[in-house]
Amino acid sequence: MIKKRIKRLIPFLVVLGLTVAGLSYASGITERKDSRNKYADFYAQKEDFDVLFIGQSRMLNAVFPMELWNDYGIVAYNLAGHGNRIPTNYWVLKNALEYTTPKLVVLDCGLVKEEEKTGPLEQLHLSVDHIPLSRTKIAMMEDLLGDSKKKQDFLWKFSTYHNRWSEVVQEDFTPHSGVEKGAESRVGVAVPKIHREFGREEKLEIEGVGIEYLEKIIEECQRRNIEVLLTYIPFPDPTGWQLESNAVWEIADKYKINYLDFHTLFPQINLDTDCYDPSAHLNPSGGWKITAYLGEYIQKNYGIADQRENPLYSKWHQDYGTYRQFKWENLRTQEKLENYLMLLYDRNLSFGVWMEPGAQWLKTSTIAELLANIGIEAEDYAWENSLIFVDRTKNRVYRIREGDEQNTGLGKIGMRINFDTAAMIITWEKNSGETDEKQKQYAEEFLMDQQAGAGILVFDHTEDEPINFAQFMVDYVSSERIRPE
């Protein structure tokens, strides 16, 4: 009798198993891949991360772990997510600590005054979808969403994405990891209309879930002997967010931990060049500055080892090479002069910049500020026809006049006029160390369009090779990339 029941049960179990497997596969195909891609490298790494960064989008756009690796040998991951409130960050960290044991957690305290445990649920998916189903994830959703019917959308993703079949593309079948170790570059330049500053003594009196979970994060780390650094990432502040950041000093003092309130550390960034939008986020120029500041600070205050010679992390050198190519491709695709100039802040680039001499649009504050941000003054082009070459291999700036050449760390750079078109030609000869005859194989000319108001030749100075030549039509209100036909 029992054997008959078992025989009848087996087909049912097989069908049930196949159904569950099929739905799980379908769920993996239909779900949005942004969360999985962002965190793929985190789960793929067996060795511990030394530093974890958590916070909301301001942290996401401001700290680049691959830059920390290249410059300081810091092995880090950016776990920040769009709209994350402090309680969400607590659970993101709780999950992360099941996979890695860092020496330092850097927590940005933006939105600590908010009473909601989560931001918009659409944004919450970025920080939650990647988390495997576990006791921690179930507890997370119970705490953050309580009795909300939306809770099942985060625990059983097929219920969320089952109607996404019409949007599925090839990348859904072969998802890929991001190249920024969790960070996100936002390319754009916006100048804030208003920025208010307050004294440190002016602050909000904050109580509630934000402070409660901030303390829970600190106490959780201290129980595990993980150090905590609090930050408040800078951004243009039109409405008095600094009053929130000033309140965090009490928490830092209470727990005797360090706090980097970047509102009090200006001018670490330049609000005229380093903002992606006029009221909230940094672009890569601003992010690279904050990342460099944090790298030096962490190295000085927390004794984080330089892992660049550690064979356990040898893959990070390959990952950095991929990341560097990602940055160069980002540069090549820019259609606006402002964005292009902003991305030249990268310390791994050397470049020559020609601007139409005496052009009135050079006097606009944005262009002038962006030039100053990369070591060039707009006045350099006021009257004289010249190419300004910023050589970061030698930390020198060269003025190359029409008809002249200069020997730089990247080779011989020159400029002359094209008498057929009355436009300029930039020339480059590589320092090959070969005979004059062979040297000619390394020579190249870059021809300017007659309509060009700006021409830029860019080198990756780690490889002594040009990576892009760009030219733009420019006027008072806009710029447009000139693409060769």
Side-chain angles (χ1 to χ4, degrees), residues 181-249:
K181 300 294 184 187
E184 180 184 283
S185 297
R186 283 191 176 185
V187 178
V189 178
V191 179
K193 296 180 180 178
I194 301 174
H195 174 70
R196 302 175 65 191
E197 294 190 17
F198 299 86
R200 178 174 161 178
E201 69 285 352
E202 300 178 79
K203 62 186 177 182
L204 291 176
E205 296 299 327
I206 301 176
E207 296 179 353
V209 296
I211 293 295
E212 175 191 347
Y213 278 82
L214 175 56
E215 293 187 341
K216 287 178 72 170
I217 290 173
I218 296 170
E219 291 169 7
E220 179 73 25
C221 289
Q222 291 182 340
R223 275 197 299 271
R224 298 170 181 254
N225 294 318
I226 300 169
E227 295 195 84
V228 178
L229 168 63
L230 302 181
T231 66
Y232 204 96
I233 297 297
F235 59 95
D237 186 356
T239 58
W241 282 94
Q242 188 179 349
L243 300 177
E244 176 189 67
S245 68
N246 285 345
V248 177
W249 284 102

Side-chain angles (χ1 to χ4, degrees), residues 391 393-394 398 406-413 428-435 438-443 459 463-466:
D391 183 355
T393 67
K394 293 186 174 182
Y398 299 87
Q406 290 277 4
N407 286 311
T408 76
L410 283 306
K412 188 180 292 184
I413 310 293
W428 168 68
E429 289 184 16
K430 185 175 182 178
N431 291 328
S432 67
E434 302 288 348
T435 64
K438 193 168 184 179
Q439 179 81 22
K440 294 177 182 178
Q441 298 177 19
Y442 295 84
F459 292 80
E463 297 185 358
D464 298 342
E465 294 285 345

Side-chain angles (χ1 to χ4, degrees), residues 382-408:
W383 308 108
E384 194 170 26
N385 193 15
S386 57
L387 177 78
I388 307 300
F389 191 82
V390 178
D391 183 355
R392 290 190 172 130
T393 67
K394 293 186 174 182
N395 290 320
R396 287 190 59 182
V397 177
Y398 299 87
R399 177 188 291 276
I400 303 171
R401 294 173 173 82
E402 180 187 329
D404 286 346
E405 293 179 329
Q406 290 277 4
N407 286 311
T408 76

Side-chain angles (χ1 to χ4, degrees), residues 93 110 140 168 207 247 444:
L93 179 62
M140 175 185 192
V168 169
E207 296 179 353
E444 195 168 348

Side-chain angles (χ1 to χ4, degrees), residues 48-320:
D48 281 329
F49 291 91
D50 288 332
V51 183
L52 296 179
F53 293 90
I54 55 176
Q56 27 62 47
S57 56
R58 294 169 196 151
M59 173 71 88
L60 183 67
N61 304 142
V63 178
F64 298 104
M66 286 274 76
E67 303 290 339
L68 292 173
W69 165 259
N70 187 60
D71 295 338
Y72 305 97
I74 295 173
V75 177
Y77 211 91
N78 191 329
L79 299 174
H82 294 288
N84 279 5
R85 304 307 195 256
I86 301 296
T88 301
N89 289 324
Y90 168 76
W91 285 105
V92 168
L93 179 62
K94 284 274 284 187
N95 172 74
L97 294 179
E98 294 182 359
Y99 296 87
T100 191
T101 302
K103 297 178 178 64
L104 172 67
V105 167
V106 182
L107 167 64
D108 192 70
C109 298
L111 305 180
V112 69
K113 70 180 180 182
E114 300 298 321
E115 286 298 311
E116 301 88 357
K117 288 186 174 181
T118 76
L121 297 188
E122 179 72 14
Q123 294 180 335
L124 184 63
H125 278 288
L126 176 66
S127 295
V128 173
D129 282 356
H130 68 94
I131 300 177
L133 187 62
S134 63
R135 290 183 180 179
T136 299
K137 186 170 185 177
I138 292 171
M140 175 185 192
M141 302 324 301
E142 287 288 342
D143 182 39
L144 296 181
L145 297 183
D147 297 330
S148 171
K149 294 180 180 179
K150 292 292 184 180
K151 185 166 53 182
Q152 68 178 5
D153 292 347
F154 293 89
L155 296 174
W156 177 233
K157 288 180 282 188
F158 188 68
S159 67
T160 307
Y161 300 117
H162 67 276
N163 60 354
R164 191 177 166 265
W165 282 108
S166 61
E167 302 174 24
V168 169
V169 294
Q170 181 62 38
E171 286 74 15
D172 287 299
F173 293 91
T174 55
H176 58 85
S177 62
V179 300
E180 299 186 87
K181 300 294 184 187
E184 180 184 283
S185 297
R186 283 191 176 185
V187 178
V189 178
V191 179
K193 296 180 180 178
I194 301 174
H195 174 70
R196 302 175 65 191
E197 294 190 17
F198 299 86
R200 178 174 161 178
E201 69 285 352
E202 300 178 79
K203 62 186 177 182
L204 291 176
E205 296 299 327
I206 301 176
E207 296 179 353
V209 296
I211 293 295
E212 175 191 347
Y213 278 82
L214 175 56
E215 293 187 341
K216 287 178 72 170
I217 290 173
I218 296 170
E219 291 169 7
E220 179 73 25
C221 289
Q222 291 182 340
R223 275 197 299 271
R224 298 170 181 254
N225 294 318
I226 300 169
E227 295 195 84
V228 178
L229 168 63
L230 302 181
T231 66
Y232 204 96
I233 297 297
F235 59 95
D237 186 356
T239 58
W241 282 94
Q242 188 179 349
L243 300 177
E244 176 189 67
S245 68
N246 285 345
V248 177
W249 284 102
E250 291 183 7
I251 301 298
D253 292 340
K254 176 180 177 180
Y255 288 94
K256 296 180 172 57
I257 58 178
N258 293 329
Y259 175 37
L260 292 178
D261 179 5
F262 281 95
H263 277 111
T264 66
L265 294 173
F266 281 115
Q268 293 303 318
I269 63 167
N270 181 346
L271 292 176
D272 290 324
T273 63
D274 296 339
C275 300
Y276 168 76
D277 51 31
S279 62
H281 305 92
L282 299 182
N283 58 33
S285 173
W288 293 328
K289 294 173 184 178
I290 295 302
T291 301
Y293 188 98
L294 282 168
E296 292 181 13
Y297 188 88
I298 289 170
Q299 192 176 63
K300 179 179 178 180
N301 291 278
Y302 295 97
I304 302 297
D306 184 341
Q307 305 283 16
R308 284 174 290 190
E309 300 300 322
N310 187 338
L312 292 175
Y313 297 98
S314 58
K315 185 178 181 296
W316 278 66
H317 295 292
Q318 177 184 336
D319 291 346
Y320 180 77

